Amino acid sequence: MTRPALPVVLIGPMAAGKSHVAQHLAEHYGLPHVDTDRVIESRYGPIPRLFRARGEAEFRRIEAQVVAELLDDPDTVGCVISLGGGAPMSPLVQPLLAGHTVAYLEVDLDTVRPRIKGNTTRPMLQPDPEARWSQIMAERRETFERLATIRLDGAAPRTVAQIARELYLALGEPIAQPRGKEHTA
């Protein structure tokens, strides 16, 4: 099996669990994690405020700039880079992903419902988070599928640990014991 190139870019809809899967890979398999939303927030403040103040078009421009920087940074070569749910829809981001390993975390409304129900912090999900999530997902599904070089089943009842292990194995890494777990024969 040929090992896919790192960094691996983790994509999927809002509330899919991309950051949690990437964090698990970092903690248990030693693959460092960078989250584009956290980078943006460290530079510009909370995303909802940035979104309101500058609008979606400017937010997407900033997001594409961060993605480009991370993909070009030699320090992120061995990383898992998780993108915000809308980033792969941007015509500025899509060409940046070409030639990279892109893992799509597939989820459904039943899986994300507990994560988004009553949410008021995600501007794209207002005013009805469940209805908006379903609409956005229907619009974005084809793009996620087209960009993906690896597809991961993230639907409940699968756990973050199971999904992270699936991605780790898909990357062609040798099977290793998760960090922090000592096993004896």
Side-chain angles (χ1 to χ4, degrees):
M1 174 173 163
T2 303
R3 186 176 185 274
L6 290 172
V8 61
V9 180
L10 193 52
I11 65 170
M14 288 179 275
K18 300 177 296 288
S19 296
H20 293 290
V21 169
Q23 189 62 40
H24 189 90
L25 284 163
E27 291 173 4
H28 297 276
Y29 297 101
L31 294 176
H33 167 230
V34 180
D35 185 299
T36 58
D37 285 350
R38 300 299 78 81
V39 172
I40 292 167
E41 288 178 341
S42 74
R43 294 178 186 177
Y44 298 94
I47 289 175
R49 186 176 72 210
L50 174 63
F51 210 89
R52 282 190 305 273
R54 298 199 187 179
E56 184 176 2
E58 178 63 8
F59 172 76
R60 296 297 177 202
R61 187 197 65 73
I62 291 167
E63 188 174 51
Q65 177 185 336
V66 167
V67 171
E69 289 172 15
L70 292 173
L71 291 174
D72 287 340
D73 185 345
D75 291 336
T76 62
V77 167
C79 288
V80 176
I81 302 171
S82 55
L83 270 54
M89 303 307 114
S90 170
L92 299 171
V93 171
Q94 289 181 21
L96 299 173
L97 301 180
H100 288 281
T101 301
V102 178
Y104 166 36
L105 182 54
E106 299 179 87
V107 293
D108 55 19
L109 180 60
D110 288 339
T111 300
V112 301
R113 181 176 284 116
R115 303 172 193 167
I116 64 171
K117 189 173 177 116
N119 184 287
T120 59
T121 62
R122 295 179 188 256
M124 295 290 292
L125 293 183
Q126 304 313 312
D128 179 348
E130 292 178 43
R132 283 290 297 144
W133 187 92
S134 295
Q135 177 187 6
I136 291 167
M137 186 58 201
E139 294 166 357
R140 295 178 176 178
R141 177 175 280 111
E142 184 279 326
T143 301
F144 288 138
E145 291 173 356
R146 178 175 46 82
L147 294 172
T149 57
I150 298 171
R151 290 172 69 167
L152 303 166
D153 178 4
R158 297 199 73 215
T159 66
V160 167
Q162 290 170 324
I163 299 162
R165 182 160 177 81
E166 179 184 347
L167 177 53
Y168 183 74
L169 294 174
L171 294 173
E173 293 292 336
I175 296 174
Q177 294 295 333
R179 291 182 177 186
K181 306 266 187 203
E182 294 295 322
H183 295 280
T184 57

